Amino acid sequence: MNIGKSVVIKGDLTGSEDLTIEGQVEGKIELRQNILTIGANGKIKASIFAKAVIVQGEVVGDITASERVDIRDAGSVDGDLSAPRIAIADGAHFRGSIDMQRQGGKAPDVRPTDTKPADVKPAPVPAPAATATAAR
Amino acid sequence: MPAEFLVSSFFKWGGRKDDGPSASPVTAATEPLTQSKVLPKVLATLSHVQSPMLMDLGPVVGSNISFFGEHLGCKILVEDMFAEVESHAKAGTRDALAVDLVARLKREPASIDGVFCWDLFDYLDRLSSQALAAHLVKLLRPGGVLYGFFGSTPADLAYYTRFTVEAPDAMRLRQAPATPTRRNVLVTRDINKMFVGLDVKESVLLKSNARETLFRKPS
């Protein structure tokens, strides 16, 4: 599942399949059982909750993953990371805090906080499994 | 004569003779390991703390995050102060660095268990050094530790160094180009006096003439 680079989403993005974002998202992203990839063109201003998160683009916001966070060499994150496994490549930008747990420890709590309703523009995202809950 | 030889000869000719490996852009495989006698003591001290809060003032190094996370089960704050140093070096405003450095570290007093300064103080002027040191002392919890690495040779630093922890007692120092900054050479007495309120627990002069120092805030 892909969100193309011309797509701008403001609001909550939830789903139950792996997702790659090349566009812009502002709000909250929840893929609790799936892998979220922020592509090289992706620009995210959102709290992210997922099983695993791969960052090749830009993220401003906190990332919570139940398995791992992987910031690739061109990736940029301004926000706090929480995951049992975190990889940050040389050349990646990161500013924030990192919370890792000892192996065998309790998995991070991935409960999201309450958020406001959202709006999507310019058009609905073609999302059979991932759904953008939106309203303006 | 092969081009590779010419290039490598050029970099050797321009390389530094002390305080660490050559400034040439070498690959990780060719960089020597720097043995550390202080780092094991930092880790040993922090291992007694439940989920310690660390602050890393150097450029983010992914493998260090994994290393500290696995060894200490810690939370790490990454504050790349070299980004501030670089922006001020480019703008020629090194004198104004102190304010920005302290402003960037807005944390609760006594909230940090360990601070990794690496060689940051080499890049600061005296005023900035003193301001930052005083602020870090405030941020440390009683019993908290601070690790510093200080060069001793006057030089223009046209690079910054990534300290990659390879083992509890070994680091690999990898250099990347930066705007030249005059090293702030601190003698041992200056280093020890700069962190008023901390005790010097370990101070080791390396073969490279750099000094590793471990400070601890009294409990």
Side-chain angles (χ1 to χ4, degrees), chain B residues 129-188:
Chain B
S129 296
Q130 288 164 357
L132 180 62
H135 191 64
L136 293 174
V137 171
K138 283 183 195 166
L139 294 183
L140 271 181
R141 282 195 181 117
V145 292
L146 183 145
Y147 173 84
F149 189 99
F150 303 91
S152 61
T153 309
D156 281 330
L157 304 170
Y159 58 87
Y160 65 89
T161 305
R162 287 173 185 267
F163 290 73
T164 304
V165 180
E166 300 270 339
D169 63 349
M171 303 178 292
R172 208 175 288 280
L173 277 53
R174 301 171 57 192
Q175 294 173 347
T179 303
T181 301
R182 192 70 182 162
R183 171 179 276 142
N184 176 30
V185 178
L186 297 163
V187 298
T188 307

Side-chain angles (χ1 to χ4, degrees), chain A residues 71 78 80-81 84-103, chain B residues 47 49 51 60-63 65-66 69-80 104 162 174:
Chain A
I71 306 175
D78 276 79
D80 298 342
L81 307 182
R85 293 171 59 203
I86 291 170
I88 302 175
D90 281 359
H93 166 81
F94 173 72
R95 185 181 178 193
S97 74
I98 295 169
D99 193 354
M100 296 172 73
Q101 309 214 338
R102 288 181 192 275
Q103 282 186 336
Chain B
S47 67
V49 181
S51 299
V60 62
V61 177
S63 59
I65 302 301
S66 303
E70 287 167 13
H71 280 73
L72 301 170
C74 55
K75 187 168 183 180
I76 305 172
L77 299 166
V78 178
E79 288 288 355
D80 181 3
R104 184 159 172 166
R162 287 173 185 267
R174 301 171 57 192

Side-chain angles (χ1 to χ4, degrees), chain A residues 43-96:
Chain A
K43 291 187 177 179
I44 310 297
K45 283 186 180 175
S47 301
I48 296 172
F49 303 88
K51 184 174 80 172
V53 181
I54 299 166
V55 181
Q56 297 165 324
E58 294 178 25
V59 175
V60 177
D62 300 343
I63 302 176
T64 303
S66 55
E67 287 191 359
R68 67 188 166 92
V69 175
D70 189 353
I71 306 175
R72 301 285 168 82
D73 55 0
S76 169
V77 175
D78 276 79
D80 298 342
L81 307 182
S82 177
R85 293 171 59 203
I86 291 170
I88 302 175
D90 281 359
H93 166 81
F94 173 72
R95 185 181 178 193

